[in-house]
């Protein structure tokens, strides 16, 4: 019996029709409420132990864009897109788990007795391993950015994930904390004509192994 996964729907349509934008309408803006909504949707993405170890800086004024552009290869998306998010991952600190899980206990989603059952293995998994703490920061930010990319597409907006920036300079310029990593920039806005057509992908048979 199959699951019916071959049916199409608006989510699949969003995923399959997206491509990275380079050219944006420099006049089109997004309101603070619309930017807030994009991040709200982004934070519905999953995180390990529900850590939610992310933060988003919405660079949307002319002045803020002028601070970001020179430390991000002067990529045109920064000046032209309505907003560019600095998508930040925070090094895992498992001592925040009781505080992060408290709303779940309050809402009756999770019994209070389970909080320690999450915090203890999480501490063992991460805290003695700097690379794992950092890897999780990158995963968390990437899941969040990914949800925002498809949400943007569903609203008819273009998006560009960007790694072309000086991470140390962004860290300094935007006052990131010592445990924060600027994982990627994500521009979002109304596209203007001239963006490339979708790029063909490697064949699934080259990237999928059945075992
Ligand atoms: C992690 C990551 C970093 C990227 N960095 C940049 C960038 O700095 N500048 C840019 O124009 N595009 C950047 N891109 C966009 C990629 O070039 C683009 O996603 C890729 O060519 C596939 O094209 P598509 O997104 O249109 O399918 C980046 C994409 C990812 C996922």
């Amino acid at each position: 019996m199959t699951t019916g996964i071959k049916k199409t729907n608006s989510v699949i349509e969003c995923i399959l029709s997206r491509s990275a934008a380079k050219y944006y309408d420099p006049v089109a803006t997004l309101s603070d409420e619309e930017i807030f909504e994009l991040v709200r949707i982004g934070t519905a993405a999953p995180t390990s132990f529900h850590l939610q170890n992310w933060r988003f800086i919405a660079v949307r004024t002319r002045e803020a864009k002028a601070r970001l552009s020179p430390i991000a290869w002067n990529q045109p998306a920064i000046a032209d897109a309505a907003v560019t998010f600095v998508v930040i991952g925070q090094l895992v600190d498992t001592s925040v788990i009781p505080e992060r899980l408290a709303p779940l206990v309050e809402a009756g989603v999770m019994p209070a007795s389970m909080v320690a059952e999450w915090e203890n293995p999480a501490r063992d998994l991460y805290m003695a391993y700097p690379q794992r703490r950092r890897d999780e920061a990158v995963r968390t930010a990437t899941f969040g950015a990914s949800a925002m990319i498809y949400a943007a597409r569903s609203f008819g907006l273009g998006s560009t994930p960007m790694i072309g920036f000086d991470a140390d300079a962004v860290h300094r310029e935007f006052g990131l904390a010592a445990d924060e990593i600027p994982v990627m920039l994500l521009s979002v806005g109304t596209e203007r004509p001239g963006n490339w057509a979708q790029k063909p992908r490697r064949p699934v048979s080259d990237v999928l192994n059945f075992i």
Side-chain angles (χ1 to χ4, degrees):
M1 191 166 120
T2 66
T3 59
I5 206 169
K6 285 196 161 177
K7 288 192 199 118
T8 193
N9 60 47
S10 56
V11 175
I12 295 169
E13 167 56 26
C14 249
I15 294 170
L16 294 182
S17 64
R18 181 214 60 85
S19 57
K22 191 174 188 115
Y23 302 116
Y24 288 90
D25 177 351
V27 177
T29 56
L30 288 170
S31 68
D32 284 4
E33 290 71 25
E34 289 167 322
I35 291 170
F36 188 99
E37 183 61 4
L38 276 173
V39 173
R40 190 185 72 81
I41 296 166
T43 61
T47 57
S48 179
F49 291 97
H50 204 43
L51 277 161
Q52 303 167 80
N53 49 324
W54 43 31
R55 193 161 72 85
F56 305 84
I57 299 176
V59 176
R60 82 234 194 273
T61 62
R62 191 191 299 268
E63 296 72 30
K65 290 175 175 181
R67 287 167 59 199
L68 181 58
S69 270
I71 52 177
W73 303 5
N74 290 307
Q75 298 207 48
I78 294 166
D80 293 345
V83 61
T84 295
F85 296 97
V86 182
V87 184
I88 295 166
Q90 297 167 327
L91 299 181
V92 168
D93 171 6
T94 57
S95 71
V96 305
I97 286 182
E99 166 200 321
R100 297 286 148 84
L101 297 184
L104 285 65
V105 174
E106 176 82 6
V109 173
M110 170 187 252
S113 59
M114 243 184 153
V115 172
E117 290 172 29
W118 281 33
E119 185 182 358
N120 295 335
R123 187 191 309 117
D124 294 345
L125 176 62
Y126 291 111
M127 295 315 285
Y129 304 96
Q131 179 76 44
R132 291 185 191 172
R133 296 178 67 205
R134 191 178 197 285
D135 287 350
E136 206 53 62
V138 173
R139 270 193 288 266
T140 289
T142 305
F143 268 115
S146 184
M148 290 162 72
I149 284 170
Y150 294 113
R153 173 76 194 151
S154 78
F155 296 139
L157 300 169
S159 66
T160 323
M162 292 182 291
I163 197 60
F165 64 92
D166 178 336
D168 292 338
V170 168
H171 200 281
R172 258 193 320 275
E173 181 65 31
F174 294 95
L176 271 58
D179 69 343
E180 292 187 318
I181 301 160
V183 171
M184 76 181 83
L185 303 179
L186 175 62
S187 295
V188 177
T190 302
E191 293 183 55
R192 71 171 198 264
N195 283 310
W196 284 8
Q198 277 191 305
K199 302 174 187 118
R201 261 42 191 180
R202 296 171 67 189
V204 174
S205 55
D206 284 8
V207 298
L208 171 66
N209 298 116
F210 287 103
I211 56 168

